[in-house]
Amino acid sequence: MKWNRLRGAELNFNPFDNLLCILLGISFTVWFTLLLVFIIVPAIFGVSFGIRQLYMKTLLKIFEWATHRIERGAKDNNHLLYKPYSNGDGSNRDLDHASEFEMSDIFYFCRQGVESIMDDEVTKRFSAEELESWNLLTRSNYNFQHISLRLTVLWGLGVVIRYGFLLPLRVTLAFTGVGLLVVLTSIIGFLPNGRMKNFLSEQVHLMCYRICVRALTAIITYHDSENKPKNGGICVANHTSPIDVIILASDGCYAMVGQIHGGLMGVIQKSMVKACPHIWFERSEVKDRHLVAKRLSDHVEDKTKLPILIFPEGTCINNTSVMMFKKGSFEIGSTVYPVAIKYDPRFGDAFWNSSQFGMVNYLLRMMSSWAIVCSVWYLPPMTREEGEDAVQFANRVKAAIARQGGLVDLLWDGGLKRGKVKDTFKEEQQKLYSKMLTNLGSLR
Amino acid sequence: MGSTNSTLSRIPNVEELMQETGFTPAHIVRLYDRFEALDKEKTGHLRPQDFGAINRLAMNPIGDRIIGSFFSTGQETVDFHSFVRILAHFRPADKNRPKDPSMPQPVNSRTSKLKFAFQLYDQDKDGKISRAELLQVLRSMLEMQVTEEQLESIADRTIQEADLDKDDAISFEEFRKSLEKVNIDHKMSIRFLR
């Protein structure tokens, strides 16, 4: 008797279960179709719908509104909320109407100087950059207090969207991208060496990196693509975050250099090298500078191999590896293609403070920001000149990169001579100022 | 907030410092962090080389003069209090301050800012900007971009316009007068975010 009643109860639940399953099934299918059509297929072909650009513009408008609200709120409450006057690039707003030298012109340089004493690009680099506008991430604004209900609601909405919708989407994409990379490169590894293999491997690498770029919602603008690195050269770029690799590799094919890691990274590395030659070092080999240099120069001499991608500031967490590559890449004597990467901090802070966050934590932060907006400049190739040693050459390349990206040129290590770089920049300041003084023209 | 208080307690005479300069506790803490970052050898004092390590300052045409203004004559180091006092010149002026002539001018008043700028020109501290001193500043700001003759004619013209008592030098009063239409507070103030 009891048994019969139980069976009866069971039968009542079944139709609802079915309905639930059907609904879930449908939503998953819709989800994956959308994903496929709007994100993965364009990634395969390298096309873009312009969705991300639209997204960026909308976000900017919202941020502007949020900033105004904070400022208004701060004034109302008499809070001290100050902003720095200068732009990072030292634009001459104050001297715009200078046409003759005036005693007060000294104020401009004076204030710039004292500003740099109070807060330098260096310290800014090592703490989350303070923004003049608030991008709805509390981690980048220390002034956030409860100003208005509307603002808090907007922030809350932002949190829900970022963690509830964007983050799962991006994580799915990331896994797809990485998974495809491993699987496809392993398959290609079975093909015989030749043009077909190279072509396929290039396509696969590009496709997977593009998916990863979308996984981070990175909106990248490439400038001067005619200077893109060619085979047999070395591509040198400044290094802000581990994402730099993905950003560069989604626009061109490079041979990567690095130490073999264990775990997931190791799996990726091993499968990548099956499809096309990358340069991976064992831990023990990294300390041998001559071995490193030899392998790099062998690779570079073979013109069928892809250009090497190096970050002289180092991608490895292991600091000794950084020292190895610093001079090494400039001693090899092939053409160097400098690349400058500059991130726009308004959308999310890409800097990785490795002493504060681990890699996984960092990636999660990246994926829960609004977007990563950056610009990439391909600079004209440089070669080492007569009578220039590796260190001076390295400095020259570094200065070119810094100047292009509007980055403050920080010397690689304190032992190098400052002379050349400092004078060039001071001269530029003087040049800019002299152009302001239009009455000089009449005196010439 | 807890970390602000603990940093503040490490600074001796911080109450006095805040009174004198008008900085808030948050500002003092921030400047202290900056001071410690510049003081690489942790001596508690800064020397000219520590300032020289700031790249943007090194490429400033008058960078050396600015560094010099932190060190009063004969001194070779600057401690945190002096550091903050000099930087206090760049605080925006308090708009609601009652104009009481018997009280000493606060360090971020218009007059104090002008005095700071004046001493950037007047390196020998004789109270006047001589023609030679003016030429030196012009040279730092323009160097290779102009000829010596152009520099001299700019200097001549400037002195002609500002020098009222015709002693071929610009005193502090003449300096102040020539800048009476300039919004000093705007040009010589730095604002903090945080």
Side-chain angles (χ1 to χ4, degrees):
Chain A
M1 278 290 278
K2 244 195 270 182
W3 184 71
N4 275 331
R5 241 189 283 154
L6 276 173
R7 275 205 71 191
E10 252 181 51
L11 283 170
N12 279 336
F13 282 111
N14 268 338
F16 285 114
D17 268 344
N18 270 336
L19 200 58
L20 204 59
C21 285
I22 292 175
L23 276 175
L24 275 174
I26 293 182
S27 55
F28 266 127
T29 324
V30 169
W31 176 252
F32 275 119
T33 321
L34 281 176
L35 206 70
L36 205 67
V37 168
F38 280 109
I39 301 182
I40 296 191
V41 168
I44 297 178
F45 294 107
V47 196
S48 166
F49 279 127
I51 299 179
R52 283 175 290 162
Q53 257 70 6
L54 186 64
Y55 174 61
M56 190 169 86
K57 288 201 184 85
T58 326
L59 279 180
L60 275 176
K61 290 216 179 74
I62 301 181
F63 294 164
E64 255 183 62
W65 178 82
T67 317
H68 281 141
R69 272 313 264 118
I70 294 192
E71 288 187 345
R72 228 172 64 201
K75 264 188 219 144
D76 291 341
N77 299 347
N78 266 330
H79 285 153
L80 295 176
L81 215 210
Y82 294 132
K83 341 193 275 189
Y85 271 118
S86 67
N87 303 341
D89 55 57
S91 67
N92 299 330
R93 258 185 307 183
D94 284 327
L95 290 183
D96 270 346
H97 30 264
S99 55
E100 294 192 338
F101 169 73
E102 292 181 8
M103 302 282 283
S104 57
D105 285 348
I106 204 175
F107 293 163
Y108 167 70
F109 289 114
C110 177
R111 189 178 75 194
Q112 248 204 343
V114 176
E115 264 172 1
S116 67
I117 293 180
M118 277 194 187
D119 195 10
D120 196 7
E121 293 295 316
V122 181
T123 48
K124 271 214 185 99
R125 256 158 216 258
F126 290 95
S127 53
E129 198 168 329
E130 287 174 9
L131 303 171
E132 291 190 16
S133 81
W134 188 40
N135 62 356
L136 296 178
L137 299 171
T138 46
R139 60 179 90 125
S140 51
N141 186 320
Y142 303 99
N143 263 318
F144 178 71
Q145 294 148 16
H146 179 78
I147 306 239
S148 83
L149 184 62
R150 232 193 290 178
L151 200 60
T152 318
V153 163
L154 195 64
W155 174 74
L157 197 64
V159 169
V160 167
I161 295 180
R162 281 187 294 122
Y163 283 93
F165 172 65
L166 289 176
L167 185 61
L169 173 64
R170 287 174 182 163
V171 169
T172 323
L173 279 174
F175 276 118
T176 318
V178 170
L180 274 178
L181 182 68
V182 170
V183 165
L184 289 176
T185 45
S186 305
I187 294 178
I188 291 183
F190 289 118
L191 293 174
N193 285 346
R195 274 188 50 199
M196 191 50 163
K197 184 178 184 184
N198 289 342
F199 175 70
L200 277 178
S201 129
E202 277 182 29
Q203 293 308 310
V204 162
H205 274 112
L206 280 175
M207 177 184 96
C208 296
Y209 281 119
R210 282 194 205 117
I211 297 181
C212 288
V213 157
R214 282 161 169 78
L216 294 164
T217 319
I219 306 172
I220 313 171
T221 325
Y222 296 98
H223 304 265
D224 304 329
S225 292
E226 66 267 12
N227 291 327
K228 251 199 259 192
K230 304 192 176 44
N231 285 3
I234 300 183
C235 176
V236 161
N238 66 308
H239 186 53
T240 309
S241 82
I243 299 174
D244 290 344
V245 175
I246 301 179
I247 288 180
L248 286 181
S250 61
D251 191 45
C253 291
Y254 300 95
M256 312 273 166
V257 185
Q259 200 182 35
I260 296 190
H261 292 101
L264 182 62
M265 272 307 290
V267 170
I268 301 177
Q269 285 176 323
K270 287 200 189 82
S271 57
M272 275 170 72
V273 85
K274 285 187 197 143
C276 76
H278 296 285
I279 307 177
W280 303 124
F281 292 104
E282 299 288 341
R283 244 204 140 79
S284 50
E285 289 174 331
V286 169
K287 298 204 169 50
D288 185 347
R289 285 189 59 191
H290 294 292
L291 181 64
V292 169
K294 175 127 199 348
R295 277 187 71 178
L296 288 175
S297 38
D298 284 346
H299 183 109
V300 154
E301 265 156 29
D302 185 350
K303 295 294 179 214
T304 60
K305 295 199 178 144
L306 300 165
I308 303 180
L309 179 59
I310 287 189
F311 297 99
E313 289 155 302
T315 47
C316 294
I317 304 167
N318 181 348
N319 266 337
T320 55
S321 313
V322 173
M323 295 306 283
M324 290 297 123
F325 291 131
K326 268 189 194 175
K327 279 187 273 184
S329 29
F330 297 97
E331 276 167 354
I332 292 171
S334 64
T335 328
V336 167
Y337 296 87
V339 175
I341 308 176
K342 177 87 167 101
Y343 288 86
D344 188 339
R346 286 178 298 177
F347 292 90
D349 179 27
F351 178 70
W352 182 28
N353 191 341
S354 57
S355 52
Q356 240 189 335
F357 307 112
M359 171 68 103
V360 176
N361 204 330
Y362 170 73
L363 283 175
L364 280 176
R365 271 166 66 100
M366 283 299 100
M367 290 195 196
S368 60
S369 306
W370 289 111
I372 296 175
V373 179
C374 60
S375 295
V376 174
W377 285 274
Y378 293 104
L379 299 169
M382 296 169 117
T383 39
R384 199 164 92 189
E385 284 167 12
E386 288 285 320
E388 205 181 28
D389 69 6
V391 162
Q392 286 170 327
F393 181 39
N395 254 349
R396 200 159 56 93
V397 172
K398 178 77 173 192
I401 294 179
R403 202 175 314 182
Q404 179 58 71
L407 306 162
V408 175
D409 182 4
L410 298 175
L411 294 171
W412 276 323
D413 49 65
L416 300 173
K417 268 186 268 178
R418 295 166 174 255
K420 274 189 180 170
V421 175
K422 175 174 129 187
D423 287 344
T424 335
F425 278 132
K426 207 191 235 188
E427 242 180 78
E428 271 185 37
Q429 296 269 334
Q430 291 163 338
K431 219 184 270 192
L432 277 170
Y433 178 59
S434 74
K435 289 210 177 86
M436 296 281 143
L437 304 181
T438 55
N439 74 325
L440 289 179
S442 59
L443 291 170
R444 276 186 218 282
Chain B
M1 280 294 112
S3 70
T4 316
N5 284 332
S6 70
T7 316
L8 277 178
S9 55
R10 284 192 285 155
I11 308 168
N13 296 333
V14 70
E15 288 295 328
E16 203 189 303
L17 192 59
M18 289 197 288
Q19 266 278 36
E20 224 186 290
T21 57
F23 280 126
T24 63
H27 291 160
I28 299 269
V29 166
R30 186 179 162 157
L31 289 175
Y32 191 70
D33 287 339
R34 179 64 179 149
F35 184 85
E36 287 201 314
L38 290 173
D39 179 18
K40 294 196 172 65
E41 288 163 30
K42 307 285 167 241
T43 57
H45 291 89
L46 292 179
R47 292 154 305 143
Q49 302 95 291
D50 294 320
F51 286 99
I54 304 171
N55 266 322
R56 274 197 90 91
L57 191 58
M59 57 164 138
N60 191 309
I62 53 165
D64 299 325
R65 287 168 189 257
I66 297 174
I67 298 177
S69 57
F70 280 86
F71 299 88
S72 33
T73 26
Q75 268 202 318
E76 287 184 2
T77 58
V78 61
D79 64 357
F80 181 63
H81 282 244
S82 320
F83 181 69
V84 173
R85 274 194 213 104
I86 304 280
L87 291 179
H89 282 103
F90 289 84
R91 219 164 57 77
D94 307 310
K95 299 200 180 11
N96 303 323
R97 190 175 60 88
K99 293 203 186 343
D100 187 353
S102 61
M103 298 271 288
Q105 293 267 3
V107 75
N108 63 332
S109 69
R110 189 191 158 89
T111 314
S112 309
K113 289 184 202 273
L114 281 170
K115 283 211 179 109
F116 186 85
F118 188 78
Q119 55 90 29
L120 285 177
Y121 279 103
D122 180 22
Q123 292 285 292
D124 61 5
K125 309 221 188 303
D126 62 354
K128 287 181 187 298
I129 304 175
S130 66
R131 193 167 174 282
E133 286 173 330
L134 185 57
L135 263 178
Q136 265 174 1
V137 173
L138 282 169
R139 217 172 274 132
S140 324
M141 297 209 283
L142 291 166
E143 196 128 22
M144 294 294 165
Q145 311 304 322
V146 298
T147 63
E148 192 62 25
E149 290 88 42
Q150 284 171 321
L151 282 179
E152 299 210 0
S153 60
I154 296 177
D156 284 333
R157 187 186 55 80
T158 314
I159 294 194
Q160 217 177 21
E161 285 176 358
D163 187 14
L164 301 165
D165 61 6
K166 303 292 169 218
D167 61 352
D168 209 28
I170 304 177
S171 68
F172 179 66
E173 280 309 316
E174 291 165 347
F175 183 69
R176 192 218 290 263
K177 203 154 194 336
S178 74
L179 294 173
E180 58 188 357
K181 295 215 176 63
V182 175
N183 185 349
I184 304 287
D185 189 47
H186 174 92
K187 286 183 188 263
M188 288 270 283
S189 295
I190 295 173
R191 301 181 147 189
F192 293 84
L193 191 68
R194 210 218 279 196

